[in-house]
Amino acid sequence: MRVRKAVFPVAGWGTRFLPATKALPKEMLPLVDKPVIQYAVEEAVAAGIEQVIIVTSSQKRAIEDHFDLNLELEQLLESRGDIEMLRQIRAISDLAQISYVRQKEQLGLGHAVLVAKELVGHEPFAVILPDDVVVGERPCIGQLIHAYLQTHSSVVGVAEVPHEETSRYGIIDGHLADGGLDPRLYKVSGLVEKPDPAEAPSNLAIIGRYVLTPKIFDKLEQTQRGAGGEIQLTDAIEALMQEQDVYGYAVEGRRYDAGTTMGWLKASVELAMQRQDIGAEFRRYLQGLDLT
């Protein structure tokens, strides 16, 4: 069965970016001139996703407005003859079929995914955390979808991190998949949440990309609340592994953790340098800075 739907959990407060996120969702912070969440939606569409399900909250109305029509703005741009910008604005509302569901209580990533159960239905689906911006030749979630089509099993995106930083991530335990499959594919035998570097089974960290079978909803409903009273998606995936295979895929591409201030700054600078319209001028500006 094809992976047609993607869930975007975006109901969190974004406290790392206060006071900027007091009234503005962190997913709407711009990377150059495009909000973080638009990069993720464009990635999903490029991978063949047909329906985007955004798990939101009452504080995130700006996200809905961004992907909606804005007739007044379109009329203004048309009257000014700014046809290229008009085309870009119209393309945003035409990106995909977008649905919204409210997460009334912020009870963790697992709970956010569970809230989308009725819209997902009984089919495999993707989960994309917009904070993880991955830039590469192939859409990041598309790499996981391809792995799912090979294995017909749930797949988590992973990336190598410095061994001393394993305590910041969920880390997989596993081995390269047998059977001549993709050399980036790992058979997962365990998940360890934020292990001490001395005890980490690998340096392959789970990033914000998943393709999951619908069986995960049963496991989420049975998962007890953990630290902070939250339902953890990793706990449900571990439970799923008792019945179904789970794989990890070491994604290709440059990953930015835009959910942290430093990661967002790095993404802003590097994406700006890659732009054809402003990249050369911006690079000259950076080279002229006195960094002593």
Side-chain angles (χ1 to χ4, degrees):
M1 184 178 292
R2 290 195 309 115
V3 179
R4 304 183 306 116
K5 301 178 181 180
V7 175
F8 290 68
V10 300
W13 285 102
T15 53
R16 289 176 176 173
F17 284 96
L18 287 171
T21 50
K22 179 176 180 289
L24 179 73
K26 65 173 181 175
E27 296 81 13
M28 290 300 297
L29 291 172
L31 290 175
V32 190
D33 55 7
K34 189 163 60 178
V36 170
I37 191 170
Q38 188 175 330
Y39 286 88
V41 172
E42 288 176 348
E43 174 192 321
V45 172
I49 293 295
E50 299 171 3
Q51 183 176 355
V52 168
I53 302 167
I54 298 181
V55 180
T56 184
S57 70
S58 60
Q59 314 300 320
K60 303 296 179 102
R61 182 60 187 268
I63 294 174
E64 299 182 36
D65 290 342
H66 180 70
F67 290 107
D68 200 358
L69 291 170
N70 188 326
L71 296 177
E72 293 84 357
L73 176 59
E74 291 184 14
Q75 290 169 359
L76 175 64
L77 294 172
E78 189 170 13
S79 69
R80 291 179 174 178
D82 195 345
I83 304 306
E84 174 58 25
M85 183 55 66
L86 176 62
R87 183 192 65 78
Q88 292 183 40
I89 293 300
R90 284 180 174 168
I92 294 171
S93 57
D94 293 335
L95 271 173
Q97 177 188 344
I98 300 181
S99 304
Y100 299 90
V101 58
R102 288 281 180 91
Q103 185 183 14
K104 296 178 182 178
E105 296 181 89
Q106 293 181 23
L107 299 177
L109 176 57
H111 180 259
V113 173
L114 184 56
V115 165
K117 177 181 178 181
E118 297 304 317
L119 289 177
V120 170
H122 195 73
E123 59 183 276
F125 65 102
V127 176
I128 298 178
L129 307 188
D131 283 355
D132 272 322
V133 178
V134 184
V135 179
E137 293 185 4
R138 293 194 295 159
C140 183
I141 197 62
Q143 298 172 42
L144 270 66
I145 291 173
H146 180 71
Y148 167 80
L149 293 175
Q150 287 184 299
T151 63
H152 302 287
S153 301
S154 295
V155 184
V156 299
V158 298
E160 289 190 1
V161 298
H163 202 74
E164 62 272 16
E165 295 182 12
T166 54
S167 59
R168 296 174 49 199
Y169 299 92
I171 302 295
I172 68 165
D173 189 4
H175 56 80
L176 285 171
D178 300 325
L181 297 176
D182 194 310
R184 290 179 170 269
L185 191 64
Y186 292 80
K187 177 72 176 299
V188 179
S189 57
L191 304 172
V192 184
E193 192 64 33
K194 299 180 178 179
D196 184 275
E199 300 175 356
S202 74
N203 68 333
L204 291 172
I206 300 171
I207 66 169
R209 298 294 187 275
Y210 308 79
V211 172
L212 302 169
T213 64
K215 187 70 176 177
I216 194 68
F217 291 122
D218 294 339
K219 301 306 175 186
L220 285 168
E221 289 173 338
Q222 297 164 10
T223 299
Q224 299 296 314
R225 296 187 187 186
E230 295 185 343
I231 297 174
Q232 301 296 338
L233 181 59
T234 50
D235 290 344
I237 293 174
E238 281 196 287
L240 181 67
M241 287 169 53
Q242 306 306 312
E243 299 182 25
Q244 297 180 350
D245 290 339
V246 173
Y247 289 84
Y249 190 84
V251 301
E252 298 178 31
R254 178 78 164 97
R255 171 183 170 259
Y256 305 96
D257 183 359
T260 66
T261 305
M262 185 56 66
W264 177 80
L265 288 169
K266 290 178 180 178
S268 298
V269 170
E270 294 186 28
L271 289 172
M273 288 194 298
Q274 294 170 19
R275 286 273 294 264
Q276 290 187 350
D277 54 345
I278 63 172
E281 181 181 352
F282 186 55
R283 189 181 296 272
R284 288 194 296 271
Y285 164 74
L286 293 176
Q287 290 172 339
L289 291 177
D290 183 1
L291 301 179
T292 58

